[in-house]
Amino acid sequence: MTHTFNNELALRQRAKLAFPNGVYGHQSIARLSPDYPQFIARTQGARLWDTDNNEYIDYMCGYGTNLLGYHHPKVDEAASKQQAIADAATGPSPLMLELAEKFNDICEHADWSMFAKNGNDATTICVMTARAQTTKNTILIAEGAYHGSSGWCTPQPSGVAPGDRQHQISYTYNDVQSLLDAVNQAGDDLAAIIVTPFKHNAFTDQELPTQDFANTVRRLCDTHDAALILDDVRCALRFTLGSTWETLGVLPDLCAMSKSVANGYALSVVTGNNRFRDGASKIYATGSFWFASASFAASLATIKVIEEESTIDLLQQSGDRLRSGMQTQAAGFGYSLRQTGPSQMPLIAFDDDPKSAMCNFFFSEVVKRGVYMHPWHNMFISGAHTAEIIDETLIRTEGAFVALKKKFG
Amino acid sequence: MTHTFNNELALRQRAKLAFPNGVYGHQSIARLSPDYPQFIARTQGARLWDTDNNEYIDYMCGYGTNLLGYHHPKVDEAASKQQAIADAATGPSPLMLELAEKFNDICEHADWSMFAKNGNDATTICVMTARAQTTKNTILIAEGAYHGSSGWCTPQPSGVAPGDRQHQISYTYNDVQSLLDAVNQAGDDLAAIIVTPFKHNAFTDQELPTQDFANTVRRLCDTHDAALILDDVRCALRFTLGSTWETLGVLPDLCAMSKSVANGYALSVVTGNNRFRDGASKIYATGSFWFASASFAASLATIKVIEEESTIDLLQQSGDRLRSGMQTQAAGFGYSLRQTGPSQMPLIAFDDDPKSAMCNFFFSEVVKRGVYMHPWHNMFISGAHTAEIIDETLIRTEGAFVALKKKFG
């Protein structure tokens, strides 16, 4: 167990000055133990290396952008081939059309698609489309849900003007009554209900949706002429080759996807049905790089690999293997774990650990042993996380449990 | 002059269905003559080819993303090398830090930098930073200026909620009195004045800033404890290796750059001074692909090429050559052109053409002859637009003037 941080610490010092206050946003390690590396030198498959050449099995997968394994050869080949032909240009290549037709095909609800760069572009397009189509303004948003970092949704109040949040009402995920109350409060101004496929808020247990909750969201949108917006940015293509609530038989009107859709190439997707076609065609949404074709090639290749390699089944199997392995290992040390959400997007907490002291200590020991796991943000399994890699992970976490036992008993 | 459109027309038909209403956003050709290709098959240097293999000298340069010529070998090599090492990962590579230090070095006002994907991400970060730092809300925006397509700035009202525009006052570019009036109206709530380096609104003549206007913006921000936000998204790196108003000796507090900064790879940049460091560190701004390192490598290489190949001088020379060549050619046919803005970002209109009938006809004849020019959006010169290519352009435009003469006399 050698975990030296010479280069890392020097880089962090420089980063404090070169950026406003070190690396910002979701990849900042400021709220993690100092044993986490801020800078990543190299990635491959399910692994990454920091700038001191420490190696980690990576369970964050670029916070979800890595679906098939880092540098999947088929995706990288497709992207670099297209890159050499045309990427950002004065118009899109026909690949943009091909990809739209692919999403319209694989997503049961989709009659049309749009592409952008950020997940937040996609959620914003959905909200604007809902407002344009319904000519109403109020959006229902689940308490604590993350939909991006622009003014209408960023989780931090700094820099947000009052107007940014003016037409929003919050509800509680999985709480049908709170949803009914919020719809009631919206009166005749309900434009949309935005919802994630499951509750994956940071700093809290994950929660799968009840069938009743999902059905109710759908029904309320229908009866109030509002859009069901599925924020599938984090989950898309990990559970089914379509919008994630297809697994519950509930179709959105508008769906925002990103992260995994091009296995690491910058892309986000909005899919919508014909009811909202007119609204989508009325809004003005664009970006300098939204028509760049290398990412379309990468996405087409990603979808092909998912189909060919049964990635979705693999993620489930590896997720389950990690979950049961961790549970067994913890039990052997006398601990009980709280593993919430789907196993493909795991979150691991300790029972009887109200202040997360054990959790934080444990994961700082885990990262020192070459497993990059997160204490309070859902993690991700990729197609490169084979059974062998899960087993290798469990060998490494063993020592962290020993350290935990020593400290907490 | 063979300009067949068989593939193009078939693709357009499919696009009407696959997207909400054909290709959307700034790359939609819906408001241009049907002789413009919507889909681009291939790009190289200063040229592009449509899907019917018609070749064009391209004066849109990907609407500004192409600065050095499409597929500049040094940029593509740097990006693909980094792509193979680490792109989107669980943390940024040290290249992100290196690039921040580079921007802090080349931009006179910059003490820190942040990176994102869209130009609109950068302008939004500037606005949020100004609000976070000043704890005030009102933003002054020039009438008709384009700062992106999210709710607070999209030029189309559809899908915009009233709250999105609640804390804004408009002023007229280059009109000092209108600026004073707007500041007055903002009272003690002035958070920022956002301004483009020159007026490059679509559908209208471009306008260079007067020194008095630029000085007044700076002075008003100083006296009212507000941020001068330079929206340099379209202009950055085309006029100077820093924020564009350095050419006027006026430094912004916050500067948003994008388009050209990585020669076609998706990247935007915010640079700021120490006065706004705290505000920038307080806001939560992030995106799934903001820490992807191939674009940082591309940007570092782009800046190096600009320095090595004196790109900025080249753009000026080629822009001037095109401008005077067009002027002479037009005069030979008895026409007087109105060429506005800097020659590196040309816009060409006809005098005595109040309804733009001549302009629209002329450019539709130009595009049929293999020159992709735009009738109402500023164009761009790239480093690949050599004197030879400008001269080749003028040979092609000659026939368009003949056609114009025939139709309009």
Side-chain angles (χ1 to χ4, degrees), chain A residues 14 24 26 101 115 166 286, chain B residues 24 26 101 115 166 286:
Chain A
R14 284 165 56 194
Y24 47 90
H26 68 292
E101 289 171 343
F115 302 108
Q166 206 174 48
T286 199
Chain B
Y24 47 90
H26 68 292
E101 289 171 343
F115 302 108
Q166 206 173 47
T286 199

Side-chain angles (χ1 to χ4, degrees), chain A residues 6 76 123 126 138 144 157 205 221 223 280 289 291 304:
Chain A
N6 298 331
D76 282 5
T123 55
C126 289
T138 301
D205 288 351
C221 288
T223 52
F289 305 100
F291 308 93
K304 195 148 176 268

Side-chain angles (χ1 to χ4, degrees), chain A residues 11 14-21 23-27 38-44 48 51 58 60-63 65 70-71 76 82-94 96-98 100-101 104 111-119 121 124 127-129 131-132 137 146 149-151 154-156 158-164 166-167 233 258-259 264-268 277 280-292 372, chain B residues 11 14-21 23-27 38-44 48 51 58 60-63 65 70-71 76 82-94 96-98 100-101 104 111-119 121 124 127-129 131-132 137 146 149-151 154-156 158-164 166-167 233 258-259 264-268 277 280-292 372:
Chain A
L11 290 167
R14 284 165 56 194
K16 286 281 270 186
L17 275 180
F19 305 115
N21 184 25
V23 172
Y24 47 90
H26 68 292
Q27 296 205 347
Q38 178 62 81
F39 290 94
I40 304 302
R42 187 157 63 90
T43 58
Q44 186 56 51
L48 55 80
T51 57
D58 176 24
M60 290 313 289
C61 292
Y63 285 74
T65 55
Y70 288 117
H71 310 298
D76 282 5
Q82 181 58 37
Q83 173 64 47
I85 298 169
D87 188 31
T90 294
S93 94
M96 182 182 179
L97 179 56
E98 207 181 304
E101 289 171 343
N104 298 346
D111 297 311
W112 52 264
S113 293
M114 294 172 77
F115 302 108
K117 286 286 129 186
N118 301 313
D121 298 336
T124 300
V127 167
M128 291 179 73
T129 295
R131 285 174 171 161
N137 285 319
Y146 181 77
S149 72
S150 57
T154 182
Q156 216 131 295
S158 291
V160 176
D164 294 342
Q166 206 174 48
H167 315 277
V233 168
S258 187
K259 298 277 191 192
Y265 291 82
L267 185 68
S268 62
R277 185 185 283 274
S281 69
K282 272 185 189 150
I283 67 166
Y284 188 75
T286 199
S288 298
F289 305 100
W290 291 15
F291 308 93
Y372 197 121
Chain B
L11 290 167
R14 284 165 56 194
K16 286 280 270 186
L17 275 179
F19 305 115
N21 184 26
V23 172
Y24 47 90
H26 68 292
Q27 297 205 347
Q38 177 63 80
F39 290 94
I40 304 302
R42 188 156 63 90
T43 58
Q44 186 56 51
L48 54 81
T51 56
D58 176 24
M60 290 314 289
C61 293
Y63 285 75
T65 55
Y70 288 118
H71 310 297
D76 282 5
Q82 182 58 36
Q83 174 63 48
I85 298 169
D87 188 31
T90 294
S93 93
M96 182 182 179
L97 179 56
E98 207 181 304
E101 289 171 343
N104 298 346
D111 297 311
W112 52 263
S113 294
M114 294 172 75
F115 302 108
K117 287 286 130 186
N118 301 313
D121 298 336
T124 300
V127 167
M128 291 179 73
T129 295
R131 286 175 170 160
N137 285 319
Y146 182 77
S149 72
S150 57
T154 182
Q156 215 130 296
S158 291
V160 177
D164 294 342
Q166 206 173 47
H167 315 277
V233 167
S258 186
K259 298 278 191 192
Y265 292 83
L267 184 67
S268 62
R277 185 185 282 274
S281 69
K282 272 185 189 152
I283 67 166
Y284 188 75
T286 199
S288 299
F289 305 100
W290 291 15
F291 309 93
Y372 198 120

Side-chain angles (χ1 to χ4, degrees), chain B residues 118-379:
Chain B
N118 301 313
N120 198 179
D121 298 336
T123 55
T124 300
I125 287 173
C126 289
V127 167
M128 291 179 73
T129 295
R131 286 175 170 160
Q133 181 70 45
T134 64
T135 65
K136 299 183 282 184
N137 285 319
T138 301
I139 309 291
L140 267 47
I141 303 182
E143 207 186 315
Y146 182 77
H147 299 296
S149 72
S150 57
W152 71 267
C153 51
T154 182
Q156 215 130 296
S158 291
V160 177
D164 294 342
R165 308 289 173 104
Q166 206 173 47
H167 315 277
Q168 301 181 359
I169 298 173
S170 100
Y171 67 90
T172 304
Y173 200 95
N174 261 345
D175 181 338
V176 168
Q177 188 55 49
S178 82
L179 203 54
L180 293 169
D181 292 346
V183 167
N184 203 31
Q185 201 187 324
D188 56 6
D189 193 51
L190 184 66
I193 302 175
I194 185 167
V195 63
T196 52
F198 66 95
K199 182 180 161 187
H200 49 48
N201 305 3
F203 299 107
T204 181
D205 287 351
Q206 304 196 96
E207 224 175 284
L208 295 173
T210 66
Q211 185 71 49
D212 184 34
F213 173 70
N215 290 346
T216 305
V217 175
R218 180 65 273 173
R219 181 174 54 76
L220 289 170
C221 288
D222 288 338
T223 51
H224 290 76
D225 184 31
L228 195 175
I229 300 173
L230 190 70
D231 178 350
D232 219 349
V233 167
R234 227 182 271 186
C235 303
L237 307 189
R238 290 196 130 81
F239 300 92
T240 184
L241 210 56
S243 71
T244 300
W245 269 11
E246 286 182 27
T247 56
L248 298 176
V250 173
L251 300 186
D253 298 299
L254 301 166
C255 183
M257 306 181 179
S258 186
K259 298 278 191 192
S260 63
V261 293
N263 204 47
Y265 292 83
L267 184 67
S268 62
V269 186
V270 175
T271 49
N273 61 23
N274 277 333
R275 227 181 108 216
F276 287 85
R277 185 185 282 274
D278 190 44
S281 69
K282 272 185 189 152
I283 67 166
Y284 188 75
T286 199
S288 299
F289 305 100
W290 291 15
F291 309 93
S293 295
S295 62
F296 303 141
S299 185
L300 283 163
T302 298
I303 293 168
K304 195 147 176 270
V305 170
I306 295 171
E307 291 172 322
E308 285 171 1
E309 300 185 1
S310 305
T311 305
I312 289 165
D313 292 341
L314 277 173
L315 299 185
Q316 167 99 59
Q317 288 156 21
S318 292
D320 289 351
R321 189 179 188 92
L322 178 71
R323 179 161 288 186
S324 67
M326 289 293 291
Q327 204 69 25
T328 305
Q329 195 170 62
F333 286 88
Y335 297 117
S336 165
L337 297 183
R338 213 163 60 249
Q339 302 197 69
T340 54
S343 70
Q344 303 94 316
M345 290 171 64
L347 184 70
I348 304 174
F350 285 78
D351 281 332
D352 309 315
D353 182 32
K355 289 183 176 162
S356 300
M358 286 165 63
C359 181
N360 288 328
F361 177 82
F362 175 73
F363 285 110
S364 73
E365 291 297 315
V366 165
V367 79
K368 283 193 274 185
R369 286 166 176 80
V371 177
Y372 198 120
M373 286 183 163
H374 205 291
W376 46 259
H377 186 293
N378 77 269
M379 298 178 273

Side-chain angles (χ1 to χ4, degrees), chain A residues 9 44 48 78 95 123 135 140 172 208 216 227-228 244 267 280 344 346 363 365 387:
Chain A
L9 294 176
Q44 186 56 51
L48 55 80
L95 285 184
T123 55
T135 64
L140 267 48
T172 305
L208 295 172
T216 305
L228 195 174
T244 300
L267 185 68
Q344 302 95 316
F363 285 110
E365 291 297 314

